Amino acid sequence: TYEQYATVVNKPVEKIISQYDKDGFSFWSSRESCFIISYNDALPFSICRWTLMHELAHIHLGHLTPSAPVLTRVRTEKRSLFEIEAQGFARRVLCPSIILHNCRVSDPEEIMQLCGISREAAEYRSHYIKKLEHRQQFRLSPMEILVEKQFEKFVQYYLHSKQIRNN
């Protein structure tokens, strides 16, 4: 957390926020020989969750490496691309479109509830899902088909629970 990181580096949390980001950041620690993710746990759970997945995306996608241990705050074309990729990764992991489609969920409130994401993220996803629904653009990639299969039992349970709630 930012509190823990602030203690380690002997700086106030406010300095961490101004120096890095209000939500979170990640870097390679040569001292610890591992990646470190620090996040602002004073923010709502849904934002912390998204931030952690976003930072994991930077690591998984190779945006951070021992030879490139940090992403600078300076906006560059490459940094912008990294941010777009990390946001896309977080979105696909936390609220996969095929699962929202199969659960018949497109309302931001229900997306927030189902996926544990912020209103802003849920509204964006809702808009996107409605576009996909209109164009019937599902099951177009092998990965999406695998995700659908992996969540098959969950979707059945969710739809059954939804039917019980509605009756």
Side-chain angles (χ1 to χ4, degrees):
T1 67
Y2 273 12
E3 289 285 338
Q4 293 166 321
Y5 185 72
T7 301
V8 170
V9 297
N10 198 26
K11 292 181 181 178
V13 169
E14 295 74 27
K15 180 72 174 170
I16 305 299
I17 291 170
S18 70
Q19 191 173 355
Y20 296 99
D21 188 87
K22 70 176 178 54
D23 296 344
F25 64 96
S26 51
F27 63 94
W28 173 260
S29 169
S30 54
R31 187 178 87 197
E32 300 293 329
S33 294
C34 66
F35 292 102
I36 306 286
I37 296 174
S38 187
Y39 67 101
N40 187 351
D41 68 336
L43 297 173
F45 172 77
S46 60
I47 293 173
C48 292
R49 188 166 191 250
W50 189 278
T51 299
L52 288 167
M53 188 55 65
H54 177 95
E55 296 305 324
L56 283 169
H58 282 308
I59 294 165
H60 179 76
L61 297 170
H63 300 164
L64 298 170
T65 64
S67 60
V70 295
L71 288 176
T72 66
R73 292 188 77 171
V74 176
R75 294 285 176 198
T76 64
E77 207 170 295
K78 192 174 186 179
R79 170 107 198 276
S80 179
L81 176 61
F82 286 172
E83 292 304 313
I84 290 167
E85 288 177 342
Q87 287 295 83
F89 183 100
R91 188 173 49 248
R92 286 178 184 94
V93 169
L94 295 176
C95 45
S97 56
I98 189 65
I99 305 310
L100 294 175
H101 169 72
N102 289 352
C103 286
R104 298 184 194 110
V105 172
S106 62
D107 175 66
E109 288 291 327
E110 199 171 358
I111 293 173
M112 285 172 59
Q113 188 77 24
L114 180 63
C115 301
I117 61 175
S118 69
R119 171 165 299 286
E120 180 183 358
E123 286 174 354
Y124 177 85
R125 204 57 172 157
S126 171
H127 179 72
Y128 183 72
I129 289 298
K130 288 173 184 172
K131 278 185 183 177
L132 291 177
E133 295 281 356
H134 179 73
R135 295 187 219 143
Q136 286 298 303
Q137 289 187 304
F138 296 100
R139 298 174 198 87
L140 300 178
S141 76
M143 180 66 79
E144 189 174 47
I145 292 165
L146 287 172
V147 169
E148 180 178 44
K149 186 169 177 56
Q150 184 177 8
F151 280 84
E152 193 172 4
K153 287 183 181 173
F154 171 81
V155 170
Q156 289 171 0
Y157 173 79
Y158 186 81
L159 290 173
H160 180 71
S161 298
K162 194 173 179 177
Q163 186 179 17
I164 290 170
R165 283 192 310 270
N166 290 340
N167 289 337

